[in-house]
Amino acid sequence: MMEMVEFLKELFLNMRIRDVIDIAIVAYFFYKLMGLIKETRAEQLIKGIIFILLATQLSEWLGLYTINWILKNTLTVGVIAILVVFQPELRRGLERIGRSKFFGNIFEKSSEEQSTGTIDEIIKAVQMLSKDKVGALIVIERETKLGEVIETGIHLDSLVSGELIINTFIPNTPLHDGAMIIRGDRIVASGCFLPLTENQGLSKQLGTRHRAGLGITENSDSVVVIVSEETGIISLAMDGKLSRYLDIQSLRQILIDVLVEKEQNPIQFNWLKWRRKK
């Protein structure tokens, strides 16, 4: 016990400011990494990897050489397997780094804020679609570009207008099925296919439209407005979270907070104020 105390004492006495900074950076990295994989399938895979590591060490201590050889070779091949299995999480993490203000200031020209006029056109359309119980899936692109998604639909490249949005989602029209992508003040495409969410804990009441809306927000920083065709309920998806049962005033205020006003804390943006139970 005394030896351990002396070791720790010696360690702290010899610690330099550079070492403290080094440890703090590593700790911050692992903190962000845990936040990235929390509540995803990667969390369960990490537990499996830890179990294999413990089993490998235990088999070596017990002299179980055959099992130890198998586990060690499994870990060797597992490095490549991790890159394949964790591809969605790795991609999401790199996209978050790319969306940081540091890189944005270097590589991107500053763009004008989303105009309230565009939001008003979206609100006008959503109000009518909700009233008539016409399903809609409107994706508002932000910093993460959605070129791959846009290529799956029909290019429009027209100014955002409530009438065009309503006409697009009218049932039995060519573009009513799929998602509409809005970039700035223009509708760039419609009838687009979105990736479905990987969240297995969603309510069974949520259909494909809601799952697709959540899916695209898990892979980008886009904001998605969803109108249910069965009930006319208005929902909003962002950052892999879904807020349901919104009224028009609430929806408009959220869009203004997120797309127009300068956010002092972009992570929270009063989300808890508007969030509803799934």
Side-chain angles (χ1 to χ4, degrees), residues 44-56:
Q44 302 302 322
L45 293 172
I46 289 292
K47 293 178 181 178
I49 292 172
I50 294 175
F51 175 80
I52 293 177
L53 290 172
L54 294 175
T56 302

Side-chain angles (χ1 to χ4, degrees), residues 150-210:
I150 292 171
E151 291 300 322
T152 65
I154 305 299
H155 288 254
L156 297 178
D157 192 24
S158 61
L159 287 172
V160 174
S161 71
E163 292 76 13
L164 180 56
I165 296 174
I166 294 171
N167 189 68
T168 299
F169 289 109
I170 293 297
N172 302 321
T173 56
L175 298 179
H176 87 281
D177 220 4
M180 172 181 289
I181 311 296
I182 294 178
R183 174 182 292 168
D185 62 349
R186 305 192 72 82
I187 301 173
V188 292
S190 193
C192 300
F193 296 98
L194 305 182
L196 299 181
T197 179
E198 297 178 0
N199 188 345
Q200 302 297 322
L202 290 177
S203 170
K204 300 299 182 182
Q205 296 179 352
L206 298 178
T208 304
R209 185 175 285 107
H210 291 82

Side-chain angles (χ1 to χ4, degrees), residues 201-233:
L202 290 177
S203 170
K204 300 299 182 182
Q205 296 179 352
L206 298 178
T208 304
R209 185 175 285 107
H210 291 82
R211 294 177 185 274
L214 276 173
I216 193 63
T217 64
E218 292 173 348
N219 296 292
S220 71
D221 62 345
S222 58
V223 179
V224 183
V225 179
I226 309 164
V227 179
S228 171
E229 64 181 351
E230 288 85 10
T231 61
I233 292 173

Side-chain angles (χ1 to χ4, degrees), residues 56 58-73:
T56 302
L58 184 62
S59 64
E60 184 176 347
W61 288 342
L62 297 177
L64 304 175
Y65 301 113
T66 303
I67 296 177
N68 184 258
W69 181 84
I70 294 173
L71 291 174
K72 282 186 175 180
N73 282 275

Side-chain angles (χ1 to χ4, degrees), residues 2 11 13 23 34 38 46 48 51 63-64 78 97 100 109 130 136 138 141 153 164 190 200 236 245 258 270 272:
M2 291 300 298
L11 180 65
L13 288 176
I23 294 172
M34 294 304 296
K38 186 179 180 182
I46 289 292
F51 175 80
L64 304 175
I97 294 174
S100 65
K109 296 180 179 179
S130 174
I138 304 170
E141 183 188 75
L164 180 56
S190 193
Q200 302 297 322
L236 182 136
Y245 304 102
V258 176
N270 288 333
L272 294 178

